[in-house]
Amino acid sequence: MNMRYRNFLLIIIIALFSNSALLAQSDKKKTTKIRVEYFNKNNTTEYLLLTLRIKEDRYIPFEDATVLIYSVGDTSNVLLDKVVSNYKGEAKFYISDDPLIFRDSTGQMTFEAEYVGDDQIKSDKESISIKKVNMEVSFFQKDTVKYIEVSVNEMAFDDQKSPLSDMEIKLSVKGTFSNLKFADEKTDENGKVIFEFPITMPGDTIGNLTIVSKIEDNDVYGNIESEGEINWGVIVPLAPEKHRGLGDTDAPLWMVYTLIILLSAVWFHYIYVIFLFFKIKMARKAI
Amino acid sequence: MDQDPKTTRALNFFAAQMVSISKSGIIQLIILSLFILGGLYALIVQIIEGHIVTGMRDNVVWGIYIVNFIFFIGISYAGALISGILHLLGVPWRTPIIRIAEIITVISTIIGPAYILLCMGRLDRLDHLALYGRIQSPIIWDVLAITTYLIGSIIFLYLASIRDLALLRDYPFKSKWRHKVYKFLALDFNGTAKQNRYLERGLNIMSAIIIPLAILVHSVLAWIFGMTLRPGWHSTIFAPYFVVAAVFSGTGVLIIAMWVFRKYYHLEAYITKIHFNYLGIILMILGALYGYFTFSEYLTSWYGSETWEMEVLYRLFDVNEYWWLFFFAAIVGVLLPIIVILIPRFRNINSITAVSAIAVLALWIKRYLIIIPTLETPLLPLQDMRTEYIHYSPTLIEWLLTFSGVALFCLLFFLFSKFIPIITVSKTDDRKDYSELRTLVMKRIMKRKLKEAQLKEFNKS
């Protein structure tokens, strides 16, 4: 092989190796990912849900990670709190009426979540801007037809309400393990949407139902959820199924009496045998 | 009390062992005490920290404490059924083993229920059981049945020991406390016809009562599982299955105890190969019966293919979960004792004891497999649950308390043997019948060997 080519090849190999060595060095630090979501439940509870992932051979939940929460202002960021992720890599930051939380003239709040990292784990940060929304679920009846009304309003800095049109509302009924969706529609120019109540919807033993209205993953308003309760559901009586366990206290009386008789018979014999002890003792004395 | 020379010899032999202890005995005592201390430490930790120190969680609410409870109640059958039945039938070879069996019953019935207390979250409310317990609840029936069984077992052991206590009362021990205790317990027994009549009457009554009582206790225990609508538990054959498993494990522990005391106290003249053979055959029959029940139980569940039953079965047959434990408990622990005892070439004292130990271990594991996989398979779907809530694994605290229970069992046994002869001394009068039986067996063996020799001669010619 030509000397020049050989040297050239050697340089390329060295370059490749040194490059991969450098990459390997930078790869030593594990990467993390933070995801921030905003939730508003029943217009009373607002919180940020932080989901942290760390890359091992794949991204897995990052447990016990401390995340700093900042309120982002016009000029500077203010540290609000530190939260720690649980075994699912999740942490919650509840938004209160803290004056440290900055709101601009439109009522928008911006938060930043930062994981500072260490020698082995890379830092990461993520921010979210949201505007507060008020969503109400109400019920009314016209003639024989029953309706559900959902109204959605944006809350300004001074808590002034302004209707939100064209918002997609998903309606569902609350279940034991998950909600059962039954309708979705967009709000009108008044920020309202009206659904006809499905009269065949099963309720509990007195017909109670919880209707859940949701706005999901909205870029400006986040996740909004409101509930309303009404007794319009079809009454579902409790299943007449009945079974007994040994820990229950409703054994049939004949069994209770049988047990008492059996145990009494056994104990009577015990007492008789103990009486025999005395007789044995007396028999000795009689000699 | 009048006694024949044989009884005197036996009494001298056992009395000498009761008042002395060898160096190895002291070491064994220290080891047992260390295990018990370890258990005490674990108990204190559990009381202070709460049940979080165990592997039990909201989902798997029963762990090895309940396994130990069922196991100890199971081995208590050794005395209840074996000594009860042997006494009622008047089996001549029972004398050397009957006391060991009765002691096993009493000790295991004391230790077993203690594990229920360890499993309870609020021990300070234990008195509520007596104050507010309702007779309409079958759980209370279990408490009543076990209490009745324990008291019955103690009375039975005491009755069967009165003759020996009378002999010990008259024995010239150096220590005064022994005389006082034996005098009190012997009830002035001196072997008069009337006293013997009363004693035999008491023994017959207790033998007859203790058998159905033992069956009732284990049946109620089995119904706690059987009447619960959960896969792997809701079974109609659980009561007889538990009873058979209990007698199987009780016989196994009895054989092990016989082997230990035979070695430790040099009882080769009293506990012979014949006893091991007879009990081995009982073990083999029970093993076959237990194997049949096991097969029937799993076959019914598997063939029915009910979704939840299959969930449990899949766990049992999964090599990454319970397969090897299941294989040992349901196949090795059943087949090995049958094969070893069935084939005369394999049958000797050590092999019978070894397979008994395997059977006993298999039955402990079997109880584990009844409880844990079922609780790990909930009827309602679990969401967002931590791994330790779904999969149970016993913690060091639970193991310490388990081993301390076994150590306490051995220690109490040892202490009993220092207080009363481990073999009924007064009953050694019966050895006349027993020696006749032995001669009969020897004659049969000789006859068989002669036939074999004749057959060999014939084939050669």
Side-chain angles (χ1 to χ4, degrees):
Chain A
M1 196 188 279
N2 192 313
M3 193 68 174
R4 265 175 64 189
Y5 282 119
R6 195 188 291 172
N7 287 344
F8 179 67
L9 199 64
L10 203 65
I11 288 164
I12 287 174
I13 290 168
I14 290 167
L16 276 172
F17 270 97
S18 60
N19 194 25
S20 61
L22 280 172
L23 280 172
Q25 206 161 16
S26 65
D27 275 349
K28 273 182 184 171
K29 275 198 169 188
K30 293 173 183 171
T31 51
T32 52
K33 273 185 185 174
I34 301 181
R35 187 174 161 210
V36 186
E37 292 167 286
Y38 167 81
F39 287 87
N40 179 341
K41 294 210 166 172
N42 293 318
N43 307 313
T44 51
T45 311
E46 292 175 84
Y47 63 88
L48 298 177
L49 178 69
L50 315 169
T51 311
L52 285 95
R53 296 273 181 273
I54 185 164
K55 193 169 185 183
E56 298 290 347
D57 48 340
R58 60 193 168 86
Y59 278 103
I60 58 163
F62 188 8
E63 193 177 347
D64 283 335
T66 305
V67 182
L68 308 177
I69 308 290
Y70 296 95
S71 171
V72 180
D74 279 344
T75 52
S76 63
N77 295 355
V78 179
L79 179 66
L80 297 173
D81 203 356
K82 288 176 184 175
V83 288
V84 179
S85 61
N86 62 13
Y87 70 100
K88 289 195 278 187
E90 290 178 351
K92 278 182 183 174
F93 169 71
Y94 285 91
I95 301 167
S96 60
D97 292 331
D98 192 339
L100 290 173
I101 298 174
F102 177 78
R103 281 185 177 200
D104 66 14
S105 55
T106 62
Q108 181 168 283
M109 302 176 282
T110 303
F111 296 96
E112 189 175 272
E114 183 185 14
Y115 172 69
V116 289
D118 56 27
D119 296 342
Q120 290 168 344
I121 305 168
K122 280 184 182 175
S123 64
D124 192 25
K125 61 168 83 168
E126 184 71 32
S127 60
I128 186 170
S129 296
I130 36 110
K131 284 183 176 177
K132 192 175 174 181
V133 158
N134 181 286
M135 181 161 65
E136 300 285 349
V137 180
S138 56
F139 305 90
F140 66 92
Q141 188 169 356
K142 245 185 194 177
D143 302 326
T144 55
V145 187
K146 294 165 176 171
Y147 297 98
I148 306 163
E149 183 183 280
V150 180
S151 58
V152 187
N153 292 287
E154 185 183 302
M155 305 293 285
F157 181 73
D158 52 359
D159 281 349
Q160 279 290 316
K161 289 180 180 177
S162 51
L164 277 178
S165 61
D166 210 29
M167 298 295 294
E168 187 169 349
I169 305 292
K170 288 177 181 169
L171 221 56
S172 50
V173 64
K174 201 170 192 172
T176 308
F177 296 108
S178 58
N179 297 343
L180 177 71
K181 189 185 147 200
F182 65 90
D184 57 47
E185 213 165 308
K186 289 188 173 175
T187 53
D188 59 15
E189 65 277 10
N190 298 319
K192 288 185 179 176
V193 59
I194 292 171
F195 300 90
E196 193 175 326
F197 183 84
I199 53 165
T200 53
M201 186 79 78
D204 63 10
T205 50
I206 52 169
N208 276 339
L209 279 174
T210 303
I211 302 295
V212 182
S213 163
K214 274 185 181 178
I215 296 171
E216 286 178 344
D217 274 337
N218 188 286
D219 293 340
V220 184
Y221 305 105
N223 298 280
I224 318 295
E225 186 180 312
S226 270
E227 290 178 4
E229 271 195 28
I230 192 77
N231 61 349
W232 287 349
V234 176
I235 291 173
V236 180
L238 274 179
E241 184 192 350
K242 180 165 166 47
H243 57 79
R244 277 188 289 255
L246 277 198
D248 301 338
T249 52
D250 58 347
L253 279 179
W254 67 264
M255 282 184 84
V256 177
Y257 294 142
T258 309
L259 178 93
I260 291 170
I261 291 166
L262 278 176
L263 284 183
S264 304
V266 171
W267 277 93
F268 169 77
H269 282 93
Y270 285 2
I271 293 164
Y272 177 67
V273 172
I274 291 166
F275 171 68
L276 283 178
F277 293 161
F278 289 102
K279 286 192 99 173
I280 289 170
K281 211 172 167 63
M282 296 299 285
R284 167 70 176 96
K285 280 177 183 168
I287 294 169
Chain B
M1 208 169 96
D2 298 332
Q3 51 190 258
D4 63 293
K6 278 180 183 174
T7 306
T8 312
R9 261 204 313 276
L11 186 64
N12 288 336
F13 176 76
F14 283 104
Q17 286 180 339
M18 283 162 60
V19 292
S20 64
I21 183 163
S22 63
K23 268 186 185 175
S24 65
I26 293 170
I27 294 167
Q28 283 160 16
L29 268 184
I30 292 169
I31 294 169
L32 290 177
S33 305
L34 284 176
F35 271 109
I36 293 165
L37 282 175
L40 277 176
Y41 163 75
L43 180 64
I44 292 165
V45 170
Q46 186 176 304
I47 289 170
I48 294 170
E49 305 273 333
H51 274 61
I52 194 72
V53 296
T54 69
M56 294 182 282
R57 292 292 181 270
D58 286 1
N59 192 34
V60 184
V61 290
W62 284 351
I64 56 170
Y65 293 154
I66 297 290
V67 175
N68 294 337
F69 164 62
I70 302 171
F71 177 75
F72 275 108
I73 292 292
I75 60 174
S76 73
Y77 265 51
L81 286 186
I82 294 168
S83 67
I85 290 172
L86 296 187
H87 177 87
L88 277 183
L89 297 179
V91 177
W93 53 269
R94 75 183 189 277
T95 313
I97 60 168
I98 207 160
R99 171 84 36 85
I100 299 175
E102 284 156 3
I103 294 173
I104 290 174
T105 302
V106 172
I107 299 174
S108 53
T109 318
I110 292 168
I111 294 175
Y115 281 103
I116 290 287
L117 305 182
L118 295 176
C119 205
M120 285 168 66
R122 293 291 301 268
L123 268 182
D124 54 311
R125 291 183 181 174
L126 190 61
D127 57 319
H128 289 206
L129 198 67
L131 293 173
Y132 310 114
R134 295 182 65 180
I135 193 76
Q136 299 96 318
S137 169
I139 285 284
I140 290 290
W141 302 357
D142 203 19
V143 176
L144 289 175
I146 290 173
T147 312
T148 308
Y149 180 49
L150 174 64
I151 291 169
S153 305
I154 292 170
I155 294 174
F156 190 38
L157 173 65
Y158 177 52
L159 269 174
S161 308
I162 286 178
R163 285 193 178 99
D164 279 4
L165 288 166
L167 289 174
L168 292 166
R169 175 198 58 204
D170 302 334
Y171 190 82
F173 284 110
K174 282 181 185 171
S175 51
K176 280 183 182 172
W177 70 267
R178 276 188 188 269
H179 278 293
K180 280 182 187 169
V181 175
Y182 291 139
K183 190 175 185 317
F184 174 74
L185 292 175
L187 298 175
D188 288 340
F189 186 88
N190 57 358
T192 64
K194 249 186 175 182
Q195 282 181 323
N196 274 319
R197 204 169 56 239
Y198 292 145
L199 194 58
E200 280 304 317
R201 194 185 297 168
L203 275 169
N204 287 339
I205 289 171
M206 290 312 296
S207 304
I209 281 182
I210 211 82
I211 298 164
L213 195 61
I215 293 171
L216 180 77
V217 167
H218 232 66
S219 297
V220 174
L221 194 61
W223 288 332
I224 287 178
F225 296 95
M227 290 182 189
T228 309
L229 304 178
R230 293 199 68 143
W233 289 0
H234 190 49
S235 164
T236 53
I237 65 163
F238 249 38
Y241 188 24
F242 265 52
V243 170
V244 168
V247 194
F248 187 34
S249 61
T251 311
V253 171
L254 177 60
I255 291 172
I256 297 166
M258 278 162 52
W259 186 87
V260 171
F261 281 109
R262 189 172 183 268
K263 283 266 169 202
Y264 190 78
Y265 285 141
H266 306 289
L267 303 179
E268 288 81 0
Y270 296 92
I271 304 174
T272 61
K273 194 186 172 186
I274 289 175
H275 296 103
F276 282 91
N277 277 350
Y278 284 166
L279 278 177
I281 288 164
I282 293 175
L283 187 83
M284 182 186 74
I285 294 165
L286 288 166
L289 203 57
Y290 169 75
Y292 167 67
F293 269 103
T294 306
F295 176 72
S296 174
E297 168 69 9
Y298 288 115
L299 180 80
T300 317
S301 305
W302 170 77
Y303 200 83
S305 302
E306 203 272 319
T307 315
W308 291 107
E309 289 282 354
M310 290 309 284
E311 287 275 325
V312 177
L313 285 182
Y314 284 143
R315 280 173 184 274
L316 293 177
F317 297 154
D318 186 349
V319 282
N320 295 317
E321 290 211 52
Y322 293 109
W323 165 248
W324 292 112
L325 287 177
F326 178 77
F327 178 73
F328 183 77
I331 297 167
V332 177
V334 177
L335 287 183
L336 203 62
I338 294 174
I339 293 166
V340 169
I341 296 165
L342 192 68
I343 301 170
R345 191 189 290 178
F346 297 152
R347 201 190 305 149
N348 59 51
I349 291 175
N350 289 336
S351 68
I352 291 171
T353 312
V355 291
S356 300
I358 289 169
V360 169
L361 182 64
L363 279 157
W364 188 91
I365 293 170
K366 172 66 186 156
R367 270 81 179 232
Y368 186 92
L369 292 177
I370 287 174
I371 294 167
I372 311 301
T374 290
L375 288 173
E376 286 180 347
T377 316
L379 288 169
L380 289 173
L382 293 173
Q383 292 180 328
D384 302 331
M385 197 59 90
R386 292 188 194 194
T387 318
E388 67 259 33
Y389 277 65
I390 299 167
H391 297 290
Y392 167 81
S393 53
T395 61
L396 180 66
I397 296 291
E398 286 169 287
W399 283 122
L400 278 173
L401 281 163
T402 300
F403 287 122
S404 71
V406 178
L408 186 64
F409 179 85
C410 299
L411 183 72
L412 289 177
F413 223 129
F414 179 80
L415 293 177
F416 253 111
S417 73
K418 290 290 168 194
F419 180 70
I420 196 161
I422 204 72
I423 284 174
T424 314
V425 175
S426 54
K427 278 279 175 182
T428 45
D429 301 349
D430 286 359
R431 274 184 297 170
K432 203 170 106 189
D433 303 336
Y434 171 59
S435 58
E436 276 172 8
L437 183 87
R438 203 169 162 176
T439 318
L440 189 76
V441 173
M442 289 305 289
K443 270 183 184 172
R444 278 187 188 170
I445 292 169
M446 290 302 290
K447 211 174 167 183
R448 199 180 67 202
K449 283 193 172 169
L450 196 70
K451 259 189 182 177
E452 281 173 3
Q454 280 173 347
L455 200 72
K456 260 188 184 175
E457 282 288 319
F458 178 76
N459 286 339
K460 269 186 185 175
S461 62

